[in-house]
Amino acid sequence: MSFADLGLSDPLLKAIAERGYDTPSPIQLGAIPDILAGHDLMAAAQTGTGKTAAFTLPLLQRLAEGPRAPARQVRALVVTPTRELAAQVHDSAVHYGAHLPLRAEVVFGGVKINPQIARLKRGCDILVATPGRLLDLHQQGAVAFDALEVLVLDEADRMLDMGFIHDVRRIVALLPTKRQTLMFSATFSTDIRRLAQGYLQQPREVSVAPANATADTVEQWIYPVDKDRKPDLLSHLIRERNWHQVLVFSRTKHGANRLAKRLERDGIVAEPIHGNKSQNARTRALEGFKSGRVQALVATDIAARGLDISGLPQVVNFDLPNVSEDYVHRIGRTGRAGATGHAYSLVCAEEAEYLQGIERLIRRTLPREQVPGYEPTEPLPEPGASSLAARGRGRGPAPTKRGASAGRAQAPGGQT
């Protein structure tokens, strides 16, 4: 099936073709017709499935058929958990709406608010926003929602995880009750379904990928190593294997800072990116990484959520996440849109419980590979073995059932 078969307009088809796409992804096939028909929608979709275009394309088409937004008014509101994701969704709306008479704006914290107030005076058809800054702008009278037609809650599961649920409730209370509401989430957890019950009316459901499945296009390895030798091993891998672009995950902000400084001392251009960094610093670091000036980007989970880095060759888990599902999100940064990616995890004995939780979650044993010269003094348990820690209270979450697996069709926004 083509994009034309989905009922998209000629201006949108032209924009899609200009970006080099011709085949919808499963989430787009499932979501676009329901959104065009005006239904509320719950969609379970991971990053890398084309989910951003799945709501951006039909949203643009629906808005193009109506009157432009009045001053300080918004016709469609997209709420996202992070600044990076907000910027990415805004870019999608701009690119796919290039041949339509619509205005899209983006607002988030960490930058001056006055320029955002000025841009909102004319009104906008699509506003992409993070919760806190949106509430600030509304309180100052810079934006109103009387003309709102559509609400999109993107990565709703992450907004719950990050504690934004109270802000989301405050935002929804400001909106007209007569509206179309779209909710995108990596999972249909109990909390997400409870949230949907309060905001969506007889929603259609689309689920296109197992919540806890890792992409077939990502090759994964475990490198056992003592904790204090992890920086040495990472530096060795980057230099010896000539990695020009690697996204490295650290569990903490301070750890990201320390690791970036250590890599710099070894002659590797590295930048940390996390919530304590200003928006300008985060933008500079990301632009440097995309351009190739920065060789290693050291990120925390929250900062990396929504990062759109086309063709990223490898991801390294310097620290394993203590929440198993975050492993899936992390390595989903590579191997996107059918490309092959590589994910390496530096694992010490203290992280054996986390590793076991991850392997239970993804239902596979990850191959171990010993790097000569970095053999750990305390080896990891054999695959399938239970450590004392794992026999305690922390066995990790059980696998969650999801819908049919997504294919690898080329699709617009396939990086998101």
Side-chain angles (χ1 to χ4, degrees), residues 28-227:
Q28 291 157 5
L29 288 171
I32 288 175
D34 282 338
I35 297 174
L36 287 176
H39 298 295
D40 284 7
L41 180 72
M42 285 182 65
Q46 301 280 4
T47 56
T49 60
K51 71 176 180 65
T52 301
F55 64 79
T56 302
L57 290 168
L59 188 59
L60 288 165
Q61 178 149 325
R62 294 205 67 200
L63 294 174
E65 296 167 353
R68 302 288 76 80
R72 292 186 174 85
Q73 292 287 340
V74 174
R75 297 177 61 207
L77 174 64
V78 183
V79 182
T80 72
T82 68
R83 310 165 194 176
E84 286 78 16
L85 183 57
Q88 178 185 318
V89 173
H90 176 254
D91 286 345
S92 178
V94 170
H95 288 138
Y96 293 121
H99 305 295
L100 294 171
L102 300 174
R103 293 187 62 245
E105 296 289 350
V106 60
V107 296
F108 43 70
V111 297
K112 293 181 179 179
I113 197 171
N114 287 338
Q116 297 177 350
I117 292 174
R119 292 200 306 273
L120 292 174
K121 283 183 179 179
R122 292 183 294 167
C124 61
D125 299 288
I126 298 177
L127 178 61
V128 188
T130 53
R133 178 52 59 94
L134 181 64
L135 289 170
D136 288 344
L137 287 163
H138 181 268
Q139 188 174 14
Q140 296 189 37
V143 62
F145 305 109
D146 305 271
L148 187 112
E149 302 169 37
V150 185
L151 168 66
V152 182
L153 298 176
D154 193 16
E155 297 202 354
D157 56 323
R158 182 58 59 170
M159 282 195 275
L160 288 176
D161 291 344
M162 294 171 66
F164 288 149
I165 183 58
H166 299 298
D167 284 348
V168 170
R169 289 189 177 121
R170 289 173 60 195
I171 290 167
V172 174
L174 301 172
L175 308 180
T177 55
K178 186 178 180 181
R179 64 174 191 269
Q180 183 180 20
T181 303
L182 315 174
M183 182 181 291
F184 283 74
S185 171
T187 66
F188 282 165
S189 66
T190 301
D191 289 339
I192 288 296
R193 289 193 176 278
R194 188 178 298 119
L195 186 66
Q197 286 174 358
Y199 299 153
L200 281 71
Q201 302 296 320
Q202 297 181 320
R204 301 293 178 91
E205 290 192 12
V206 178
S207 180
V208 299
N212 304 316
T214 52
D216 293 337
T217 53
V218 181
E219 299 177 357
Q220 304 167 64
W221 292 272
I222 298 298
Y223 289 159
V225 62
D226 288 335
K227 183 177 182 179

Side-chain angles (χ1 to χ4, degrees), residues 232-278:
D232 296 333
L233 176 55
L234 177 61
S235 180
H236 167 81
L237 291 171
I238 293 174
R239 289 182 283 112
E240 292 299 314
R241 300 187 180 183
N242 200 27
W243 289 347
H244 294 292
Q245 190 182 48
V246 56
L247 177 60
V248 182
F249 282 97
S250 169
R251 192 178 298 127
T252 67
K253 301 169 187 176
H254 296 303
N257 288 335
R258 285 195 304 270
L259 183 56
K261 289 179 180 178
R262 165 58 197 275
L263 294 175
E264 287 278 349
R265 287 200 301 269
D266 289 347
I268 298 165
V269 181
E271 288 281 357
I273 182 169
H274 52 69
N276 283 355
K277 293 285 183 180
S278 69

